[in-house]
Amino acid sequence: MYYCLASCAFPSSHTTLHLRNKLSPFLFRRNRSHQTLQLCRRNFQIRAMRAVIQRVSSSSVTVDGRIVSEIGPGLLVLIGIHESDTDADADYMCRKVLNMRLFTNEATGRGWDQNVMQRGYGVLLVSQFTLYGFMKGNKPDFHVAMPPEKAKPFYASLIERFQKAYNKPDAVKDGVFGAMMKVNLVNDGPVTMQLESPQSSKNETKASTES
């Protein structure tokens, strides 16, 4: 009797292996479902315009072997547009980029003291939907980026915002939307900053729409 109880409470290695083999497909499916859920949650949480800002000594964009835009000292700004972005996100990004104090004040010698407009430097904007890439296995997925047909006019309006906000409109350049571009730069520092528009802009837009 005691032997039977012991054998039931402590199954043999053969029994354990049999149960493991039967449960393996279930455990695999549950693990895949959990990974998919995590990816969906992460994608849902990211609802902001993104930018990577690099302080440069020079930068240029080449398309089909021809330089289409170039600047000397200033900022190279890679812009990623989320499918939910609005004018509020564009306003925020324009204001923050142009006012980031990434340059030294040569009059005082104080570092991180002046923005690009105070120095009269150039700004080169380049559309970069791959800033919203997520890996699904070994393949990148960009489905949260704004679709091209909607993103193109939105990006054009963003360029106009920068040009109007800068006291030297000609200082703001851009690449070619949707083209295969070669972006050359000499990073000065190096200095590279990441920026996202606040989630509050989405909440305010949603609230105004619902009201």
Side-chain angles (χ1 to χ4, degrees), residues 13 16 20 24 35 39 45 55 58 71 99 148 181 191:
S13 59
T16 303
R20 184 182 300 166
S24 289
Q35 290 176 345
L39 179 63
Q45 291 171 354
R55 188 179 72 184
S58 63
I71 61 171
N99 287 283
M181 295 176 279
V191 174

Side-chain angles (χ1 to χ4, degrees), residues 95-114:
R95 183 176 69 255
K96 293 296 286 186
V97 169
L98 292 180
N99 287 283
M100 296 176 80
R101 297 190 295 178
L102 302 181
F103 300 92
T104 299
N105 187 327
E106 293 185 350
T108 64
R110 181 180 298 175
W112 312 105
D113 189 51
Q114 292 188 316

